Amino acid sequence: MGKKILIVDDSSTMRKIVSRSLRQAGLEVDTVLEAGDGQEALQILKGEKVDLVLSDINMPNMDGLTFLREKSGDAALKGIPVVMISTESGADIINEAKNLGAKGSIKKPFTPEQIQETIGGLL
Amino acid sequence: MSDKIARALRTALSETLENMAFLEAFPEPEPPQIQGPKLSVSLLVHDPLQGELRLTAPHPLLAEIGEIVYALPASELSDQLLHDLLAEILNTVAGGFLRELLPDDQTFRLGLPEMEGHETGKPDGQWHFRVGSHTISVLAWGETLAAAPC
């Protein structure tokens, strides 16, 4: 059965690129939801059953790390896996994301193969 | 340092465009004469280098990339969509550029892409690249970011 994925990025371009890469990676995804920031993502997660979140870090309103912090504080949302997709790749930012519950990270630019490799096992 | 910056920018730009639209970037020694409409977007780099990067590209090139990214005909791509596309190209290029320049795992901090740039004076560095039949330019302000004189 196909999975439901939420893509969180302030750039509509990047949301389209991630969505296209998911299809090219051959993952069994039948629904892709989109959010423009962490706040919008939390709202969607409260109303939809999502299998995986792919989130940017650097976003206006609510950034990716704050989103992770808020999500991990909500018992109903805590278990949903999140993978960060970002230009930021410093060890301290990635470690902070992992400490807040992120299951992995992907650097921009990325290939469909890298998407498959990172999230294939989480679906 | 100038060569290192040019190489880092070319690598970052080529990887970004190849992943987005299967295009490659080749260095051009001279500033381009961009005919017709063009779009620009700027991004502040906060840490550990400080400065501003600005990317300028001709409208037809962005429409060409946009057709691939959005799977829409060029006639249906609004300027807002093309600005968003250029912003994401600059954001991704800036990240790749800093990763090329800085030691492994060095943390860096970028601002958010903006249509209006902050700097208006002469840039501290400028680099030009041919992409297909078009030319795009990257301008940089801030001595620590663009340690190469124009």
Side-chain angles (χ1 to χ4, degrees):
Chain A
M1 185 181 162
K3 304 288 185 183
K4 193 182 282 187
I5 289 187
L6 171 62
I7 300 168
V8 190
D9 200 307
D10 55 313
S11 163
S12 65
T13 299
M14 187 46 64
R15 297 197 300 267
K16 289 284 173 269
I17 290 170
V18 174
S19 183
R20 187 185 70 184
S21 296
L22 287 170
R23 288 196 305 276
Q24 290 174 337
L27 295 162
E28 286 187 18
V29 177
D30 61 17
T31 309
V32 174
L33 304 172
E34 296 185 16
D37 60 39
Q39 189 71 56
E40 204 183 321
L42 288 170
Q43 290 301 320
I44 290 174
L45 290 180
K46 285 172 184 169
E48 297 267 355
K49 187 186 172 305
V50 169
D51 297 291
L52 178 82
V53 180
L54 292 168
S55 177
D56 187 16
I57 292 177
N58 194 12
M59 295 181 285
N61 303 325
M62 183 187 285
D63 66 26
L65 294 178
T66 309
F67 163 67
L68 278 173
R69 204 170 288 117
E70 294 280 324
K71 188 182 108 14
S72 64
D74 185 322
L77 308 181
K78 198 175 176 178
I80 302 168
V82 179
V83 169
M84 310 311 288
I85 298 187
S86 185
T87 49
E88 284 83 357
S89 63
D92 54 349
I93 291 178
I94 298 306
N95 285 339
E96 188 177 354
K98 286 184 177 166
N99 289 338
L100 290 167
K103 298 294 182 193
S105 64
I106 299 169
K107 286 178 206 168
K108 297 177 190 175
F110 50 81
T111 62
E113 290 74 23
Q114 287 166 326
I115 291 258
Q116 212 285 337
E117 211 170 275
T118 309
I119 72 171
L122 296 169
L123 289 172
Chain B
M1 187 64 178
S2 174
D3 283 352
K4 192 177 175 188
I5 288 178
R7 272 198 307 275
L9 264 179
R10 186 198 168 177
T11 301
L13 193 56
S14 283
E15 283 181 1
T16 301
L17 294 177
E18 195 178 332
N19 283 319
M20 267 188 191
F22 319 109
L23 292 167
E24 214 177 332
F26 300 94
E28 283 278 311
E30 296 299 321
Q33 302 297 318
I34 297 179
Q35 304 292 333
K38 59 187 178 186
L39 298 177
S40 289
V41 68
S42 293
L43 180 80
L44 291 176
V45 178
H46 298 296
D47 187 51
L49 308 174
Q50 286 83 39
E52 177 177 339
L53 292 171
R54 187 173 302 160
L55 180 62
T56 301
H59 196 285
L61 172 63
L62 291 169
E64 199 178 301
I65 299 171
E67 283 185 307
I68 296 169
V69 169
Y70 291 102
L72 287 172
S75 57
E76 289 182 30
L77 296 167
S78 66
D79 274 359
Q80 180 55 50
L81 216 49
L82 296 184
H83 252 299
D84 193 39
L85 174 63
L86 187 62
E88 191 50 47
I89 293 172
L90 177 57
N91 185 45
T92 307
V93 167
F97 171 60
L98 291 173
R99 279 199 299 272
E100 287 286 324
L101 280 185
L102 299 171
D104 285 351
D105 283 336
Q106 163 85 56
T107 300
F108 55 83
R109 205 160 55 86
L110 301 173
L112 294 167
E114 300 170 86
M115 285 189 200
E116 300 295 329
H118 294 259
E119 297 286 351
T120 52
K122 188 181 175 207
D124 295 301
Q126 54 180 295
W127 300 269
H128 313 286
F129 300 90
R130 181 169 51 79
V131 179
S133 58
H134 307 281
T135 311
I136 66 178
S137 296
V138 181
L139 306 184
W141 287 265
E143 286 179 14
T144 60
L145 181 63
C150 294

